[in-house]
Amino acid sequence: AYINMTDPEAECPSGLNEVSNRTTGQRACGRSVDRNCSSLNFPVNTKYTHVCGIARGYQYGTMDAFLLSSGKTIDQVYIDGLSITNGNPRQHLWTYVVSLQESYIYFTQNCPRDHSPYDFNYVPSFV
């Protein structure tokens, strides 16, 4: 699948809504529902060994990293960011998590890092 929202003729795929920044004129595809997730399926009818891509994200609201992700499965909302999965049942391929800052007072809103004073057991095991 190829989506390039810098192309003025491009449209968001079904399942995502177009969002435009009035100040900069930048266009992006965003979630189709509030406070939840949106999923897209890109059927592939051939075997592959690599998944490549570029994602450009824009902040809206807070960036909550793994907030409320403890005990979640891959079929639930488990991150604030972008996750790429494959197959049925879904298998985790890659995740990009966004956080408010590197060391926020509410540690579940932080991204895990080496030498952290926190126990990151809230990060789902499949990530």
Side-chain angles (χ1 to χ4, degrees):
Y2 180 77
I3 307 165
N4 180 0
M5 293 307 289
T6 62
D7 178 349
E9 302 296 318
E11 295 181 2
C12 293
S14 178
L16 295 179
N17 290 333
E18 183 176 318
V19 180
S20 296
N21 182 309
R22 291 185 194 125
T23 305
T24 65
Q26 292 176 313
R27 300 167 50 236
C29 298
R31 294 186 291 209
S32 59
V33 294
D34 290 331
R35 308 277 308 153
N36 211 329
C37 66
S38 293
S39 294
L40 298 176
N41 291 312
F42 297 108
V44 178
N45 296 321
T46 186
K47 291 187 178 200
Y48 58 91
T49 59
H50 294 79
V51 176
C52 301
I54 297 172
R56 180 182 294 166
Y58 299 95
Q59 176 194 350
Y60 179 79
T62 63
M63 301 164 290
D64 297 325
F66 292 100
L67 183 66
L68 304 177
S69 65
S70 181
K72 298 289 180 155
T73 70
I74 199 166
D75 293 314
Q76 296 172 302
V77 177
Y78 57 91
I79 60 144
D80 197 353
L82 173 67
S83 183
I84 298 175
T85 61
N86 173 44
N88 187 9
R90 292 171 46 185
Q91 296 174 333
H92 178 262
L93 295 179
W94 182 82
T95 295
Y96 180 81
V97 177
V98 292
S99 173
L100 186 59
Q101 58 191 25
E102 186 175 341
S103 185
Y104 190 57
I105 189 171
Y106 301 109
F107 64 92
T108 58
Q109 290 176 273
N110 294 336
C111 292
R113 64 187 195 284
D114 291 338
H115 311 296
S116 171
Y118 304 112
D119 177 10
F120 287 103
N121 63 358
Y122 57 85
V123 177
S125 61
F126 54 85
V127 173

